[in-house]
Amino acid sequence: MKPTRLAAAGLITTLLGSLVAAAPANAAPDTASATSTSSTNCTTDPATPKRQFRAMWISSVVNIDWPSKASQTSPDRVAAQQAEYRELLDLAERLNHNAVVVQVRPTADALWPSPYEPWSEYLTGTRGQDPGWDPLAFLVDESHKRNLEFHAWFNPYRVSMPAPGGAGADLNLLAPDHPARQHPDWTFAYPPAGVAGSRLYYNPGIPEVREFVQTAMMDAVSRYDVDGVHFDDYFYPYPSGSYQVPDDATFAAHNRGFTDRADWRRDNINLLIQEMNGKIKAAKPRVKFGVSPFGIWRNQTADPLGSDTTGSQSYDIISADTRKWVKQEWIDYVVPQLYWYIGQYPAADYARLVPWWAETVRGTRVQLYIGQADYKSGDPAYGPFWQNPRELSDHLTLNRSYPEVQGNVHFSAVQVRANRLGATDIYAAEHYSRPALVPAMTHLPAKPLLFPVVTRAARQADGVRLTWRQPADGVGPLGTATSYAIYRFDGTTLPGRCGTADAAHLVDTVRATPGGAQSWVDTSAVPGKRYTYQVTALDRSANESPASPPAFVLR
């Protein structure tokens, strides 16, 4: 054993021993709750889960969420766009979210200085124009400062949006150096050029295209400190009328022995998912890969394995065999877009689809989060059921009946902020009242973490300041703390393991700062009230250390 490992092992033994005598001699606990009961035997409150993925989609395409269209003409565009993003992060923090899913490649372009694709028009209003800064670096850094996971959202094959706002089917309207202009044979227009809504797509059936889009996306994964890679539901285009995808020549040239074109198309997308997962894990094993598919895989009438629904099927209409991706564990998480209400809607009842997806992920290591349609809440265009201010909260309540559901992603940020009918306030109060840790993924790389040691807990003018250190951080066989969770208990007590089994006492999570000493101020502490604090360390995959010995504030 190397000397560093011996030193770390000795430190582990010493610190574990300190648990026995953790409480200061002058602090008499209020209760005798210091038990060694495993957290798996603890009674927890489903309204305050310790772990739950909570995020909102931040869409850049056509300036839906960020940056705003108005920011492009601001006297100081960069400052305006940065301020807009910080405001969205403020919203995420108020709602006790722990992640953001940000669209960084909306139309075969880039929100970073990519050597493969042009700058996105949604930054400046001009396709290919250099914005003069690196938005992706800023987005990741600002998110991490708030201890929010950053999931980089890519659209693999969409090249343009319809005219008049987008380039439509006209290659000449793309940025001058756009790869699609250099390789027009890589693209097709759908619906056909001249038809309303026509736009350009990269052809998923061409092997060079599949390799290129992966290379373009992996550039961001390799160069930036992202926590996840996220695809939405755009693979083959959604059908438009009776128009067919124009891939006769591609099928003839690249069918790989398939005789059924529908199976071949699905295999094209399967290869994209499988290969992308492999490349992500080879480059950065800790980076998660997730997909947010259309909410129906197949209906039972078409396949006995399907759901009790009658709506459109992603398996057939966009060649996305989402169930296979889960069963093969080619993805780490899935976020089906269940954008329907509960009850009286046989085409796609939310209450029928949640159990189907729960059953689909059961027995796999793929985590299930649900995509929520905040954009429908309070909008008369979507019918009377969405005029119920409790509809979204009822969705989250139903999710509790299925332990496989480990979180939600809300579409989209400006709709969450709009809070129509007060729906955001309702679900936030009933389901996001406390912070939550991101669900851990046990198959991702991890090393054990020692518990933090609180060196000081003292009142000051603005609250209680805690100071702590992380012993042997990243030394030898030990992991590195990326963030910390802070738990607070009323009175002076020995909380025991059940005290941190849910989020009832979780007051905050904070990002680790460079250097040894970590510090945080509890601004919500009531003056003169006694408290007990514990701190835990978390690694990049949200694996949690044992809790620190308790620290007491007596006055």
Side-chain angles (χ1 to χ4, degrees):
M1 183 179 288
K2 294 182 178 179
T4 54
R5 292 179 179 266
L6 286 168
L11 184 55
I12 293 170
T13 302
T14 300
L15 289 171
L16 289 176
S18 71
L19 279 174
V20 178
N26 63 347
D30 293 339
T31 66
S33 62
T35 69
S36 60
T37 304
S38 170
S39 60
T40 58
N41 298 323
C42 299
T43 300
T44 58
D45 185 349
T48 57
K50 178 170 180 171
R51 293 185 181 271
Q52 186 177 57
F53 191 84
R54 301 172 184 168
M56 55 189 176
W57 279 290
I58 300 177
S59 180
S60 60
V61 69
V62 300
N63 301 102
I64 290 175
D65 294 306
W66 183 89
S68 73
K69 187 78 171 176
S71 72
Q72 295 171 356
T73 56
S74 172
D76 190 340
R77 186 189 66 247
V78 174
Q81 292 180 351
Q82 290 182 348
E84 288 178 352
Y85 188 69
R86 290 191 180 104
E87 288 173 2
L88 293 179
L89 297 187
D90 290 344
L91 173 65
E93 283 194 302
R94 288 198 301 274
L95 297 175
N96 284 323
H97 285 191
N98 47 34
V100 288
V101 183
V102 184
Q103 192 173 34
V104 300
R105 185 180 181 269
T107 52
D109 50 10
L111 270 68
W112 73 96
S114 168
Y116 302 101
E117 296 184 304
W119 282 103
S120 175
E121 65 186 282
Y122 305 117
L123 293 166
T124 64
T126 302
R127 297 178 190 112
Q129 180 175 320
D130 188 337
W133 64 302
D134 187 341
L136 182 52
F138 170 82
L139 299 173
V140 173
D141 185 57
E142 287 296 310
S143 302
H144 285 168
K145 285 179 182 177
R146 315 293 187 100
N147 201 33
L148 296 166
E149 279 198 344
F150 185 92
H151 290 237
W153 167 15
F154 303 92
N155 189 290
Y157 291 125
R158 183 172 60 200
V159 174
S160 67
M161 295 298 287
D170 191 344
L171 284 162
N172 294 320
L173 294 181
L174 299 176
D177 60 345
H178 200 294
R181 295 183 68 170
Q182 300 166 16
H183 303 278
D185 54 309
W186 284 5
T187 70
F188 60 73
Y190 187 86
V195 175
S198 179
R199 66 183 78 178
L200 293 167
Y201 293 86
Y202 278 130
N203 189 336
I206 298 175
E208 292 83 2
V209 165
R210 191 173 72 248
E211 178 66 26
F212 171 77
V213 298
Q214 291 177 36
T215 298
M217 294 184 289
M218 283 302 301
D219 179 64
V221 177
S222 300
R223 292 169 54 197
Y224 296 87
D225 194 22
V226 302
D227 300 285
V229 169
H230 185 94
F231 287 178
D232 56 20
D233 59 327
Y234 286 92
F235 297 104
Y236 275 89
Y238 277 89
S240 177
S242 60
Y243 298 110
Q244 301 299 308
V245 172
D247 59 359
D248 289 353
T250 310
F251 181 54
H254 304 290
N255 59 55
R256 299 187 302 280
F258 281 91
T259 57
D260 183 278
R261 191 178 311 198
D263 289 340
W264 169 74
R265 286 178 180 166
R266 277 186 289 273
D267 193 61
N268 291 333
I269 306 303
N270 289 345
L271 288 171
L272 170 74
I273 299 299
Q274 184 180 16
E275 291 170 0
M276 192 66 186
N277 180 58
K279 289 181 179 180
I280 292 167
K281 294 302 187 287
K284 291 185 177 178
R286 62 164 179 76
V287 172
K288 306 168 186 178
F289 181 35
V291 178
S292 176
F294 182 76
I296 299 174
W297 171 68
R298 299 200 88 187
N299 302 314
Q300 280 183 353
T301 52
D303 190 315
L305 297 174
S307 52
D308 183 15
T309 50
T310 60
S312 297
Q313 307 169 108
S314 65
Y315 181 92
D316 299 287
I317 63 171
I318 56 173
S319 306
D321 192 353
T322 54
R323 184 179 182 275
K324 182 169 187 173
W325 307 342
V326 172
K327 294 302 185 182
Q328 294 294 323
E329 298 181 338
W330 291 339
I331 54 179
D332 298 303
Y333 68 87
V334 64
V335 193
Q337 298 173 24
L338 302 191
Y339 293 169
W340 302 287
Y341 53 79
I342 295 174
Q344 301 184 42
Y345 188 51
D349 182 347
Y350 184 91
R352 296 181 184 181
L353 281 161
V354 168
W356 185 87
W357 280 101
E359 171 62 28
T360 297
V361 303
R362 193 171 298 143
T364 75
R365 67 189 189 190
V366 177
Q367 294 184 353
L368 171 62
Y369 319 138
I370 304 298
Q372 301 292 343
D374 289 54
Y375 72 97
K376 289 186 175 181
S377 182
D379 188 334
Y382 295 107
F385 282 89
W386 289 103
Q387 298 309 302
N388 174 10
R390 296 197 51 81
E391 180 67 29
L392 288 169
S393 189
D394 289 346
H395 288 195
L396 274 57
T397 299
L398 186 150
N399 291 355
R400 292 181 187 172
S401 300
Y402 301 92
E404 293 82 6
V405 180
Q406 297 190 55
N408 300 276
V409 185
H410 297 266
F411 189 84
S412 64
V414 295
Q415 306 297 336
V416 173
R417 182 171 60 193
N419 191 28
R420 284 187 298 273
L421 307 177
T424 303
D425 289 342
I426 293 170
Y427 72 66
E430 296 182 354
H431 300 278
Y432 300 163
S433 64
R434 309 295 297 177
L437 308 181
V438 171
M441 292 185 176
T442 57
H443 63 280
L444 299 184
K447 294 181 178 181
L449 291 165
L450 297 181
F451 55 77
V453 175
V454 179
T455 56
R456 181 175 172 79
R459 285 199 179 273
Q460 57 186 40
D462 56 349
V464 173
R465 179 173 292 277
L466 294 184
T467 305
W468 67 90
R469 288 183 174 273
Q470 180 62 23
D473 196 27
V475 175
L478 299 175
T480 300
T482 299
S483 61
Y484 297 93
I486 298 110
Y487 299 86
R488 186 185 72 192
F489 305 86
D490 291 340
T492 51
T493 182
L494 299 180
R497 292 184 181 178
C498 286
T500 59
D502 63 14
H505 300 285
L506 180 63
V507 289
D508 204 358
T509 68
V510 296
R511 202 75 173 179
T513 56
Q518 308 291 314
S519 185
W520 170 83
V521 178
D522 183 2
T523 57
S524 66
V526 177
K529 188 173 182 178
R530 291 187 172 192
Y531 291 113
T532 301
Y533 291 90
Q534 287 188 300
V535 181
T536 62
L538 297 107
D539 67 11
R540 193 58 181 269
S541 298
N543 298 297
E544 189 177 33
S545 75
S548 69
F552 305 105
V553 175
L554 303 181
R555 58 183 176 82

